[in-house]
Amino acid sequence: RLEESGGGLVQEGGSLKLSCKATGMILSMFTSSTMNWHRLAPGKERELVATRMSGGLANYADSVKGRFTISKDNVKRTFYLQMDNLKPEDTGVYYCNHHFDSGLDYWGQGTQVTVSS
């Protein structure tokens, strides 16, 4: 089970840090997965905003490059999305996801991020 936290209301230019805790996931599974953050904005399709490959490589959507950072803590079985210099267009529901090469996916419940101008 993935438990998300950290969303909220913030003014433009502010920061938030989202967390995604994998309860009950063994370390080998945690470290072998691709970790993703997606967002669903009103009236838009779901967008993949950040990915961390099992080998450590991180990729970001062009819209968030330089502002968002994905990271992880193996001991806590948690990965994060640090969001800085937030913009109103970053508003949406953010979902974390562990993806495995087998095709298995685990999803968080989603957390709302609202950026006011």
Side-chain angles (χ1 to χ4, degrees):
R1 184 180 72 178
L2 301 187
E3 299 175 4
E4 295 188 45
S5 61
L9 173 64
V10 64
Q11 287 189 331
E12 185 173 7
S15 298
L16 285 173
K17 187 174 186 177
L18 306 183
S19 299
C20 179
K21 181 176 177 61
T23 302
M25 186 179 289
I26 61 175
L27 181 59
S28 59
M29 284 189 68
F30 184 81
T31 57
S32 67
S33 70
T34 297
M35 302 171 190
N36 301 306
W37 286 98
H38 305 252
R39 73 182 174 199
L40 183 61
K44 296 184 179 180
E45 294 186 355
R46 189 179 68 193
E47 177 185 17
L48 176 62
V49 297
T51 294
R52 190 187 187 284
M53 308 294 288
S54 58
L57 181 66
N59 291 302
Y60 300 92
D62 288 343
S63 58
V64 307
K65 277 182 182 176
R67 300 187 297 118
F68 288 13
T69 304
I70 189 170
S71 62
K72 71 179 179 79
D73 184 325
N74 290 340
V75 173
K76 294 181 179 179
R77 304 293 195 273
T78 301
F79 70 102
Y80 307 94
L81 185 68
Q82 176 68 44
M83 306 186 293
D84 298 317
N85 190 20
L86 282 161
K87 303 177 181 181
E89 52 264 42
D90 294 319
T91 293
V93 180
Y94 284 70
Y95 296 91
C96 63
N97 158 240
H98 275 275
H99 175 75
F100 298 89
D101 291 343
S102 64
L104 180 66
D105 282 284
Y106 291 113
W107 289 88
Q109 80 279 13
T111 186
Q112 176 70 44
V113 171
T114 303
V115 184
S116 64
S117 57

